[in-house]
Amino acid sequence: MKFMIVGKANGETEAGALPSQELVDNMHAYNEALAKAGVLLAAEGLYPSSQGAQIAYSGGRATVIDGPFAEAKELIAGFWLIQVKSREEALEWAMRVPVPEGYDGIGLDVWRVYDASDAPDAASSDPAEVEREKAMRRRLGGRES
């Protein structure tokens, strides 16, 4: 099972403030523990929303909306993508994320990620389609499901 652990943004991350060296060291240790356990697929911090954009759709047309975006509490500052055996294991790992000062009440989100093995039987029963999916994941350096 794949899960995404999502770290929420706050005013400091939206202002582009870099984390303290202590927090960076703690995050590296956490990421190393995930990697050593063989569960880490990806881990990245994100630039503030002022460096991003949203795509809005109306009447079948796409429109770009440049950041920054108003509600920092609804934005994300970073994420981890992990592959574990259960929801409980994902939550155990999420509970170990180093918490920066000033994040009281903000917390993390933990979301299960769809993967090819979750597809309905009809869509995944075609052996050629299954092989195409596996080949794409190998090219991307990801794990096969």
Side-chain angles (χ1 to χ4, degrees), residues 36-132:
K36 187 175 181 181
V39 300
L40 182 63
L41 300 176
E44 302 293 342
L46 302 176
Y47 277 89
S49 68
S50 61
Q51 300 291 311
Q54 294 178 339
I55 308 297
Y57 296 96
S58 178
R61 303 192 85 180
T63 303
V64 175
I65 303 167
D66 289 320
F69 306 109
E71 291 293 324
K73 66 184 180 184
E74 296 177 7
L75 301 173
I76 64 174
F79 67 91
W80 293 264
L81 185 62
I82 60 175
Q83 186 164 22
V84 293
K85 293 183 177 102
S86 67
R87 177 180 183 268
E88 291 72 24
E89 184 181 358
L91 293 173
E92 287 172 15
W93 280 110
M95 296 291 287
R96 295 175 54 187
V97 170
V99 179
E101 284 189 41
Y103 267 68
D104 293 345
I106 295 177
L108 301 167
D109 289 340
V110 180
W111 296 88
R112 185 156 179 206
V113 176
Y114 279 103
D115 123 344
S117 65
D118 297 321
D121 290 339
S124 61
S125 61
D126 177 4
E129 181 61 31
V130 170
E131 187 51 42
R132 278 193 295 275

